Amino acid sequence: MQAIRVHEFGEPEVMKLEEVPELQVGPGQVLVKIQAIGVNPVETYIRSGAYAAALPLPYTPGTDAGGVVEAIGPGVKAVAPGDRVYTSYTVSGAYAEKALCLESQVHSLPPQVTFAQGAGLNVPYSAAYRALFQRAMAVPGEVVLVNGASGGVGVAAVQVARAAGLTVIGTAGTEEGRRLAVAQGAHHVLDHRLEGHLQEAMRLTENRGVDIILEMLANVNLGRDLEALAPGGRVVVIGSRGTVTIDPRLTIGREASVLGMYIWGATEKETRSLHAALGAGLANSTLRPVVGRELPLSEAVKAHHDIMEKRAYGKIVLIP
Ligand code: NAP
């Protein structure tokens, strides 16, 4: 079978499509024939060698895929050959024609959800759900600002928040991205490239401020986020690509909180809980991953360039 292999850390070009040995299922494992693979920014950080949780070389990147169960190992009860599934992490890597997974890493994919959409589920929707409900403890009726609503996590956050009864303000850097945010359920949209876009969020809340900010680029926005929070407001830092200066005093009068979010920090119970919530949202179609672009697996290098260099529109998905 074919898989992308990384033999050294570096630029996207270190990823090579290679012939690798067929995978054999062991006890408690599931072999998935992959139909589509989700590309996430974290895979570029790991590949570059700059990420704290580096993988041992050589490795096959990727955690998120949509596919069909091809074989199961002894003791597996949750799925059977022929089942449609999405993966949440793998044992062997997802940028490949097949992946070995633990039984706990495969989840049912309802028939109305395409394999490409299934590939866009795990990291983005886990991040959105964990940020909102396991970190910010969002409750219906609150106002959430999704600062970066046009990419994988942002689209997921808009859908998850809207379905839960929050008022959603989404931001994007392009007109196309803002239209996408509205189509996915945002009540209001703003342009995060404009100086003072957070003042507009204050106006939309009649100067009360927003209860929650889901922040995709904290190194740019965190200082101003604190000015746009309502009393008791929470900023959840989902993404950050550098440092930022903040005025901590802005948290005092509001009793505001800045919370980190790390999907790999979820306990086993939290992980089970969030995939149960995602399963329910897929079944009733409130969660509908948006696939912005499909590329062949052989173009993984281009996918890594694009996710870091281009404006976002839903998910980039690789097709083996
Ligand atoms: P993505 O699909 O590439 O989307 C990036 C998003 O950031 C787009 O909506 C983009 O909007 C937006 N953005 C760009 N400039 C911005 C600005 N100045 N202010 C606010 N938003 C801005 O990436 P993703 O998969 O959604 O991930 C988003 C971030 O979360 C990444 O940094 C990723 O590494 C991180 N993440 C963290 C975790 C965790 O566990 N902590 C989990 C998943 C993802 P435009 O392109 O429209 O400008």
Side-chain angles (χ1 to χ4, degrees):
M1 67 163 212
Q2 291 200 308
I4 295 288
R5 299 292 283 164
V6 175
H7 292 272
E8 58 177 325
F9 297 117
E11 296 300 311
E13 289 68 22
V14 299
M15 293 189 292
K16 308 284 182 205
L17 186 63
E18 295 177 1
E19 197 60 35
V20 298
E22 288 295 324
L23 300 165
Q24 306 298 329
V25 277
Q29 292 184 334
V30 177
L31 181 63
V32 178
K33 171 100 176 68
I34 293 177
Q35 307 289 335
I37 303 143
V39 177
N40 295 294
V42 66
E43 289 132 31
T44 71
Y45 316 151
I46 295 171
R47 186 219 66 236
S48 74
Y51 197 61
L55 292 175
L57 295 167
Y59 72 93
T60 294
T63 56
D64 300 0
V68 177
V69 173
E70 185 167 294
I72 57 172
V76 171
K77 295 193 183 70
V79 292
D83 285 358
R84 302 174 87 250
V85 292
Y86 74 91
T87 65
S88 59
Y89 317 114
T90 73
V91 173
S92 58
Y95 286 26
E97 290 180 314
K98 295 180 190 178
L100 266 187
C101 300
L102 303 179
E103 185 177 16
S104 59
Q105 294 170 334
V106 293
H107 313 270
S108 176
L109 195 63
Q112 75 276 17
V113 185
T114 66
F115 290 118
Q117 287 179 304
L121 273 165
N122 176 48
V123 167
Y125 281 77
S126 298
Y129 186 88
R130 182 164 173 74
L132 258 185
F133 299 117
Q134 296 180 340
R135 300 297 290 137
M137 304 299 180
V139 292
E142 288 193 309
V143 179
V144 60
L145 173 77
V146 181
N147 225 0
S150 48
V153 180
V155 165
V158 169
Q159 294 175 357
V160 168
R162 179 71 194 243
L166 283 91
T167 298
V168 183
I169 305 171
T171 77
T174 62
E175 192 53 47
E176 202 189 11
R178 290 189 287 280
R179 275 199 299 271
L180 175 64
V182 169
Q184 299 314 311
H187 297 85
H188 309 281
V189 280
L190 302 172
D191 183 348
H192 52 229
R193 286 184 309 174
L194 296 182
E195 193 62 32
H197 79 280
L198 291 165
Q199 284 150 19
E200 189 61 15
M202 291 301 289
R203 195 188 60 75
L204 289 170
T205 56
E206 293 170 348
N207 284 329
R208 184 181 158 274
V210 299
D211 299 295
I212 299 167
I213 299 179
L214 301 186
E215 185 50 74
M216 305 304 154
L217 204 56
N219 55 300
V220 172
N221 297 315
L222 186 59
R224 279 166 298 167
D225 285 348
L226 296 179
E227 297 173 11
L229 284 179
R234 296 85 83 197
V235 181
V236 185
V237 177
I238 300 176
S240 188
R241 294 179 178 165
T243 57
V244 62
T245 301
I246 64 163
D247 178 357
R249 191 133 56 110
L250 292 169
T251 64
I252 295 174
R254 296 172 170 84
E255 296 198 308
S257 312
V258 177
L259 302 160
M261 190 288 300
Y262 187 52
I263 47 173
W264 293 273
T267 63
E268 230 178 280
K269 187 175 171 194
E270 287 171 329
T271 303
R272 264 201 313 277
S273 167
L274 70 83
H275 284 289
L278 300 190
L282 291 175
N284 68 19
S285 297
T286 51
L287 305 186
R288 309 160 308 274
V290 172
V291 178
R293 200 145 19 113
E294 293 186 8
L295 294 169
L297 179 58
S298 56
E299 292 189 28
V301 170
K302 177 171 166 45
H304 274 211
H305 277 294
D306 287 358
I307 199 164
M308 295 304 282
E309 294 158 21
K310 291 197 171 163
R311 291 279 161 192
Y313 188 90
K315 288 294 300 179
I316 299 177
V317 163
L318 295 169
I319 307 296

